Amino acid sequence: MNDHIRIEPAFDGFVESIGGVVLKNEIEASPSFENADYVLHQQKIVAELKCLEDNKLDNPDYMAKIEAAWQKWKGLGYVTGETPERIVLGDLPPCCGRELVTIASVPLKGVIKKANRQIRQTKD
């Protein structure tokens, strides 16, 4: 069973319902750049939808970074015990929380950069 929610078709319908344009339905030939997904002309908005489908908790490399950070914090006396299955950011000392957010944000940075590039190129 596929437990992914198909966001794109729903978002396409939403954009069209408010007068926006779904560019994949309007562009006949492939442009020479990766275009954004939506244009709302009246509001002067260009938008790109990114669906994050990979569960980083299933990624051994990502989890190894979390485990290494926990062990480092444990060695520094910031936390105790084994790495919990679920880490609550608010339960960590602020320095650990900031490091955890940094670890979690790394996979998103490339996605955001690509989306920004697509939006800029579509505007041009």
Side-chain angles (χ1 to χ4, degrees):
M1 183 174 115
N2 185 349
D3 56 358
H4 291 290
I5 298 170
R6 295 185 33 85
I7 298 295
E8 190 173 355
F11 206 79
D12 289 355
F14 166 73
V15 168
E16 289 175 329
S17 76
I18 60 171
V21 175
V22 179
L23 289 176
K24 69 182 174 201
N25 298 338
E26 299 293 320
I27 299 174
E28 292 184 25
S30 294
S32 60
F33 60 92
E34 292 186 78
N35 58 281
D37 293 322
Y38 308 104
V39 174
L40 291 94
H41 292 289
Q42 187 174 359
Q43 295 85 354
K44 298 181 181 176
I45 294 173
V46 176
E48 171 63 18
L49 176 66
K50 293 293 185 202
C51 298
L52 305 175
E53 297 174 342
D54 295 335
N55 183 352
K56 293 300 179 191
L57 300 178
D58 293 336
N59 181 318
D61 293 333
Y62 180 80
M63 293 309 295
K65 290 176 185 175
I66 300 293
E67 177 65 28
W70 188 270
Q71 294 307 317
K72 181 180 86 175
W73 303 333
K74 187 174 173 180
L76 294 169
Y78 294 137
V79 297
T80 59
E82 298 307 310
T83 308
E85 188 172 312
R86 180 172 181 239
I87 299 173
V88 178
L89 195 62
D91 293 345
L92 293 174
C95 62
C96 300
R98 285 188 296 276
E99 186 173 348
L100 187 61
V101 167
T102 298
I103 293 168
S105 68
V106 168
L108 299 176
K109 287 182 181 179
V111 173
I112 292 168
K113 284 182 180 182
K114 181 178 180 183
N116 284 338
R117 185 173 53 252
Q118 288 175 263
I119 290 167
R120 275 193 309 275
Q121 289 178 340
T122 301
K123 284 181 178 181
D124 291 344

